[in-house]
Amino acid sequence: MLNQMKFSLLQWTREVKRLLLDEYIDLEPHEYCIGAVFVIAVGFVLLSGRR
């Protein structure tokens, strides 16, 4: 099960990387920061719901 989760995570990160390289390579640094804050906020909400 752990190997399957690891494989899924790696596959997901490859897809995100490919999407970013193909379509969003010309983002400004502040746009990357906005995206990072959004991802962190969503992750925080998802993880805090498990308590």
Side-chain angles (χ1 to χ4, degrees), residues 10-32:
L10 288 174
Q11 187 177 12
W12 182 78
T13 54
R14 282 187 204 121
E15 288 295 320
V16 169
K17 183 178 178 182
R18 185 184 60 79
L19 178 68
L20 288 174
L21 288 176
D22 288 347
E23 297 188 18
Y24 299 110
I25 196 68
D26 59 345
L27 289 178
E28 296 294 320
H30 69 277
E31 292 170 326
Y32 283 115

Side-chain angles (χ1 to χ4, degrees), residues 43-51:
F44 180 76
V45 168
L46 291 175
L47 290 175
S48 67
R50 297 185 69 175
R51 293 183 190 170

